Amino acid sequence: MSKTTLSRRGLLRTGAITGAGLALPTIFTASSARAFTNEPTGGSVTLGFNVPQTGPYADEGADELRAYELAVEHLNGGGDGGMLNTFSSKALEGNGILGKKVEYVTGDTQTKSDAARASAKSMIEKDGAVMITGGSSSGVAVAVQGLCQEAGVIFMAGLTHSNDTTGKDKKANGFRHFFDAYMSGAALAPVLAKQYGEDRKAYHLTADYTWGWTQEESIKAATEALGWETVETVKTPLAQTDFSSYIAPVLNSGADVLILNHYGGNMVNSLTNAVQFGLREKQVNGRNFEIVVPLFSRLMARGAGENIKGILGSTNWHWSLSDEGSKAFVKSFGTKYGFPPSQAAHTCYVQTLLYADAVQRAGSFDPCAVVEALEGGDSSLPGISSPANKGYLFDGLGNGQTLYRSADHQCFKDVLVVRGKENPTSEFDLLEVVEVTPVSQVWYEPDHPMFAGGSLGSCNPGA
């Protein structure tokens, strides 16, 4: 593990405050002076950033690490402060967390659950990390979340999209800001029906692990509810690089839509193979053959090149958004690195700020006090009538008003439907936002069948 510190400078707290109408944040107090895992005793606190530095999601991991470094810089008072200036909560002051300088250690998940657990375990036991965050795989997220629950530290999930992360595998010590597969299906399916018709025949290729399974289930259910027929579903190994043998059977299946439930390098390779087989030039059932990628990002679009043009999908966030929080983050990230951030970078930066803010409001690093702060009491999203509509409500971090729901520790916010641009103006201008789907359309109850079977349980403070 490598350990890094960043210098502390004065934080500029100027600029517009998004969500100024929100109630001022509640300041929580730790319920007791009990001992807990890796309680910081000196002048610094260590966070653990566990990202895929190798493997099929390494591009996402590299951008996550950039965002974490930027978040640490801002928390310690460096740079221009970024989203600290737009965050509706004003608890953070740019002097670290509770006055302690933020340091961090890094690990490589390798996009493998066992490697990710070992990396997180080392950061907790050897480096004294009080919080673990990161990852671009839901298999990794579920594994590390379970470890953090056992160890008594907070897990702030990075890029994880499986329903299971805050469904059957949810834990009291774990929190997810990123959206999930159900939300992708709920946002994307109506757009697909409108663009391509309601009587399509779909063939699914699906990454064979928890994210792929729940993504397939979600988009399949959402499209079938609007009249689509599912012709075939085929699982593919996560380590697969050549998908030719999986694409060939699509040609004679009778399907007129190929849905690629793939992410990262897998999606780049499977889409490339599909285009090489001429699928985008085919006519089937009297209509143009279409390809859909339910979840993709700018990094994947860059890897896919020309092949991404016109492809529909969904995303958690995009650097072209014009709200004050997004503009502040894009400016800070671009100044430091020379290019705009990905959705992976965004969710990881935001998770770091949300953790720091919760500690600051709680007045303690005690994980159970942090859980209480992130669950937030009885704040709710407007326009949604549900007893589960309560938790920590915040704004100014790039997605509009967002609720960290106390029932399952899942964030609820608007979802973006995007399409690969036909005429991009730069290597970064690859996606256009087709629709901002309101949170009310992607809302579900905690006991929804796709999320059933698990329990948050109780917070574990560890030692």
Side-chain angles (χ1 to χ4, degrees):
M1 305 298 165
S2 60
K3 192 163 187 173
T4 307
T5 62
L6 292 177
S7 62
R8 173 175 158 188
R9 298 198 296 269
L11 172 65
L12 299 177
R13 297 299 301 275
T14 59
I17 299 174
T18 302
L22 294 179
L24 291 174
T26 303
I27 305 299
F28 293 87
T29 302
S31 59
S32 70
R34 66 186 163 218
F36 55 89
T37 300
N38 294 337
E39 179 177 3
T41 55
S44 65
V45 59
T46 300
L47 309 182
F49 300 150
N50 206 22
V51 305
Q53 299 181 48
T54 56
Y57 297 165
D59 282 352
E60 308 283 338
D63 225 35
E64 289 181 355
L65 199 52
R66 294 183 190 105
Y68 284 133
E69 292 172 350
L70 183 63
V72 169
E73 180 178 311
H74 290 164
L75 289 172
N76 285 334
D80 62 6
M83 283 186 172
L84 292 184
N85 298 318
T86 62
F87 190 9
S88 54
S89 172
K90 297 302 170 188
L92 294 168
E93 299 175 351
N95 62 344
I97 307 175
L98 292 182
K100 296 182 184 293
K101 182 183 293 185
V102 181
E103 301 180 350
Y104 64 89
V105 290
T106 65
D108 182 8
T109 68
Q110 304 174 40
T111 317
K112 298 176 181 176
S113 296
D114 289 346
R117 278 180 66 97
S119 177
K121 189 171 188 288
S122 179
M123 287 190 280
I124 294 167
E125 295 181 354
K126 296 181 180 179
D127 301 306
V130 73
M131 181 272 276
I132 301 294
T133 180
S136 291
S137 156
S138 291
V140 162
V142 167
V144 175
Q145 180 167 259
L147 174 76
C148 290
Q149 180 69 33
E150 296 163 9
V153 301
I154 294 293
F155 177 62
M156 301 295 286
L159 196 157
T160 167
H161 192 243
S162 170
N163 293 338
D164 293 346
T165 307
T166 47
K168 71 179 184 65
D169 295 310
K170 59 182 173 284
K171 302 294 182 186
N173 285 40
F175 292 83
R176 172 166 59 180
H177 170 263
F178 205 68
F179 71 145
D180 58 43
Y182 175 91
M183 295 177 186
S184 281
L188 186 57
V191 176
L192 294 177
K194 182 178 179 180
Q195 296 275 337
Y196 302 144
E198 297 182 354
D199 56 348
R200 287 286 192 157
K201 296 182 177 181
Y203 192 111
H204 292 252
L205 291 182
T206 300
D208 193 13
Y209 75 107
T210 177
W211 168 68
W213 306 331
T214 66
Q215 179 58 79
E216 177 190 285
E217 178 187 31
S218 298
I219 194 70
K220 181 173 175 287
T223 52
E224 287 179 355
L226 295 176
W228 286 30
E229 175 187 346
T230 302
V231 173
E232 187 66 83
T233 61
V234 178
K235 305 297 188 290
T236 63
L238 182 59
Q240 192 76 23
T241 56
D242 185 348
F243 293 86
S244 300
S245 62
Y246 293 95
I247 299 295
V250 180
L251 297 170
N252 300 313
S253 67
D256 48 38
V257 177
L258 173 61
I259 298 179
L260 295 175
N261 300 302
H262 289 156
Y263 195 74
N266 288 160
M267 189 287 286
V268 172
N269 292 330
S270 61
L271 178 59
T272 299
N273 290 154
V275 172
Q276 289 170 343
F277 271 78
L279 288 185
R280 298 198 72 179
E281 283 72 50
K282 284 179 65 67
Q283 284 257 329
V284 179
N285 303 325
R287 59 189 69 191
N288 293 334
F289 193 97
E290 303 291 351
I291 300 175
V292 176
V293 178
L295 174 67
F296 67 82
S297 71
R298 178 186 62 77
L299 295 176
M300 291 160 58
R302 184 183 64 188
E306 293 282 319
N307 297 331
I308 204 66
K309 292 183 176 182
I311 300 287
L312 284 166
S314 67
T315 190
N316 189 65
W317 177 86
H318 192 253
W319 67 269
S320 66
L321 293 174
S322 60
D323 62 279
E324 294 300 319
S326 294
K327 289 192 293 185
F329 179 53
V330 171
K331 178 177 179 290
S332 295
F333 193 97
T335 298
K336 187 173 179 67
Y337 300 113
F339 48 85
S342 64
Q343 66 171 352
H346 171 256
T347 202
C348 289
Y349 176 94
V350 168
Q351 282 283 71
T352 308
L353 264 57
L354 286 168
Y355 170 78
D357 172 72
V359 172
Q360 197 81 13
R361 290 185 292 113
S364 173
F365 289 96
D366 182 331
C368 294
V370 174
V371 168
E372 185 180 354
L374 279 170
E375 288 183 343
D378 294 325
S379 297
S380 60
L381 284 165
I384 295 176
S385 178
S386 165
N389 182 14
K390 58 184 178 180
Y392 177 50
L393 187 67
F394 61 90
D395 204 341
L397 295 183
N399 296 103
Q401 281 200 332
T402 301
L403 181 75
Y404 239 133
R405 189 164 73 175
S406 59
D408 51 11
H409 296 179
Q410 173 64 50
C411 271
F412 283 81
K413 53 195 183 302
D414 296 345
V415 171
L416 305 182
V417 176
V418 294
R419 177 169 49 210
K421 272 194 172 182
E422 294 288 351
N423 298 296
T425 58
S426 74
E427 62 177 308
F428 308 112
D429 180 39
L430 303 175
L431 303 177
E432 60 182 341
V433 177
V434 175
E435 177 181 284
V436 178
T437 306
V439 62
S440 58
Q441 185 176 317
V442 301
W443 178 270
Y444 55 86
E445 295 302 307
D447 61 353
H448 187 285
M450 290 187 188
F451 297 84
S455 171
L456 274 180
S458 301
C459 167
N460 178 20

